[in-house]
Amino acid sequence: MKKINPPYSWLTISLWGICFICHFKTFAQAKETPKQRIAAFYKWYGKTDTIPFEGDCYEADGIDVTKIDTKCVQKYIKSIETTGLFSSIYIKGLQQEFVSKQSEIKKKGFTEGIDYDRYTLSQDPPTEKDLLFALNKTSTSAINGNKAKVVVNLKNPYKVTYIYSLDLENNVWKLSKIESK
């Protein structure tokens, strides 16, 4: 009896199948979708008593910051990091922001303070309820590999569009950037 070797095309298909499963597995293991992660962020944000206030780390003369308490800043960053909501990219950017502010104080004697809410980029932030409503009714999300964007169009109490960039870290979507327009 003649022995038949499997066709080359079968082997090729099998290899492609393995690659597809490995690629798909990355997305299948994520506990939440990017949109669900933004909902978790909004719920955290809605608990204002749990959100650390970075202004506690500044000494200011009016709106100008004249001194930064580095221990307070490190505690602030650590508390943001332990939420699990923010990516390493966001945390590194935050650390760099404080280093830049510290450098500017050394050069000029002062730096600009932050006069808006860091998480809503607003002086008059919307409520958790308004944010969750907009997320559920007027948002879009897109995933491209290990990166995602969620766009939320808020119409009340005022019109603003939030753009959240997320990165997949250890199979968890985490915020890397918050923008508004």
Side-chain angles (χ1 to χ4, degrees):
M1 185 175 244
K2 189 174 179 184
K3 208 176 198 183
I4 300 175
N5 290 327
Y8 179 75
S9 61
W10 182 86
L11 179 63
T12 304
I13 292 170
S14 296
L15 290 174
W16 278 107
I18 290 168
C19 291
F20 175 74
I21 289 169
C22 291
H23 183 71
F24 180 74
K25 187 177 175 184
T26 302
F27 300 113
Q29 288 179 350
K31 295 177 184 177
E32 299 170 303
T33 65
K35 198 170 172 179
Q36 289 170 323
R37 196 62 172 165
I38 296 301
F41 166 69
Y42 286 163
K43 289 174 185 170
W44 169 79
Y45 176 77
K47 297 176 184 163
T48 54
D49 56 330
T50 63
I51 298 175
F53 179 58
E54 72 182 87
D56 291 340
C57 301
Y58 300 146
E59 283 184 26
D61 181 15
I63 59 170
D64 293 330
V65 174
T66 56
K67 186 176 179 184
I68 298 175
D69 181 343
T70 54
K71 286 183 183 179
C72 179
V73 166
Q74 291 309 312
K75 185 178 175 184
Y76 169 76
I77 291 173
K78 188 69 174 166
S79 66
I80 297 301
E81 192 173 18
T82 58
T83 65
L85 294 167
F86 300 92
S87 73
S88 58
I89 294 167
Y90 185 90
I91 298 300
K92 285 176 188 169
L94 195 57
Q95 290 169 333
Q96 186 56 45
E97 180 183 328
F98 286 113
V99 167
S100 295
K101 285 182 180 293
Q102 196 74 285
S103 175
E104 194 170 337
I105 290 172
K106 284 181 183 176
K107 284 182 187 173
K108 299 186 335 185
F110 67 94
T111 188
E112 290 182 16
I114 183 169
D115 64 344
Y116 57 88
D117 179 80
R118 178 178 292 282
Y119 307 106
T120 61
L121 310 176
S122 169
Q123 290 182 333
D124 186 21
T127 66
E128 173 191 357
K129 182 181 173 184
D130 291 333
L131 290 166
L132 286 169
F133 180 81
L135 179 66
N136 291 323
K137 299 293 181 186
T138 63
S139 68
T140 59
S141 61
I143 298 172
N144 186 6
N146 290 337
K147 302 212 177 274
K149 277 206 189 283
V150 177
V151 178
V152 180
N153 296 302
L154 188 72
K155 296 179 182 175
N156 287 319
Y158 46 82
K159 189 176 179 177
V160 64
T161 299
Y162 289 109
I163 303 153
Y164 300 98
S165 298
L166 298 98
D167 283 283
L168 193 61
E169 290 183 357
N170 299 319
N171 296 317
V172 177
W173 290 108
K174 294 187 178 187
L175 276 162
S176 295
K177 190 174 185 183
I178 303 170
E179 301 172 280
S180 70
K181 60 179 180 172

